[in-house]
Amino acid sequence: MKPLISALLLSILCISTAQANPQQDKMKSCNAEAAAKSLSGEDRKDFMKSCLSATADTPANTQQERMKSCNASAGEKSLKGDERKAFMKNCLSGAPELAGNSQQQKMKSCNTEAGKQNLSGDARKDFMKSCLSAN
């Protein structure tokens, strides 16, 4: 009897976790869109309320929303050139980043930043260590 109850509780937990993710994704998307529109105060509050209560969009609108959200995220991260292109490709695909790809992107970004600061030797090594360990 205990294994049956445990399995049932685990199933309920998995279902509730799976249902929470789309809402979290919607929240991220709405936040990104509000930021892209530079909304604040009462305007932002009204926009977020309508955005979060909206029903699912058509596939075309979903892709448009994803494009807006990805553009906003890339802008917040100040990505340019190949870094922006790679980020947008991954973001628009809707697929989660692979751990290796994420680390490669982080390494590339940190290298670029170290180059901009003209760091070398121990200074570069220390910067890269702190940059790669940052979230």
Side-chain angles (χ1 to χ4, degrees):
M1 186 70 169
K2 278 189 177 182
L4 180 61
I5 293 172
S6 296
L8 181 61
L9 289 174
L10 183 60
S11 298
I12 292 170
L13 178 64
C14 290
I15 290 169
S16 66
T17 302
Q19 290 174 347
N21 289 335
Q23 183 63 23
Q24 289 171 344
D25 291 342
K26 194 171 191 178
M27 181 68 148
K28 286 179 186 177
S29 176
C30 290
N31 267 324
E33 191 174 346
K37 293 180 178 183
S38 301
L39 297 175
S40 63
E42 208 54 39
D43 292 336
R44 182 181 180 89
K45 184 178 175 182
D46 292 341
F47 171 80
M48 291 298 289
K49 184 177 179 181
S50 65
C51 182
L52 291 172
S53 65
T55 57
D57 290 335
T58 62
N61 287 339
T62 302
Q63 185 63 23
Q64 288 172 349
E65 292 300 316
R66 187 178 290 158
M67 179 63 104
K68 287 179 186 178
S69 176
C70 292
N71 267 326
S73 295
E76 290 170 4
K77 295 178 182 185
S78 301
L79 298 176
K80 295 184 179 173
D82 290 338
E83 288 178 4
R84 183 181 183 93
K85 184 178 177 182
F87 173 82
M88 291 297 290
K89 180 179 179 182
N90 185 55
C91 185
L92 291 172
S93 71
E97 285 186 339
L98 299 173
N101 189 24
S102 176
Q103 186 63 25
Q104 288 173 346
Q105 290 292 66
K106 198 174 211 184
M107 178 68 113
K108 195 173 186 180
S109 176
C110 291
N111 268 326
T112 301
E113 186 61 32
K116 287 179 185 176
Q117 295 180 18
N118 294 324
L119 297 175
S120 61
D122 287 337
R124 184 181 185 94
K125 183 178 175 183
D126 291 340
F127 172 80
M128 291 296 291
K129 184 177 179 180
S130 67
C131 182
L132 291 172
S133 65
N135 288 336

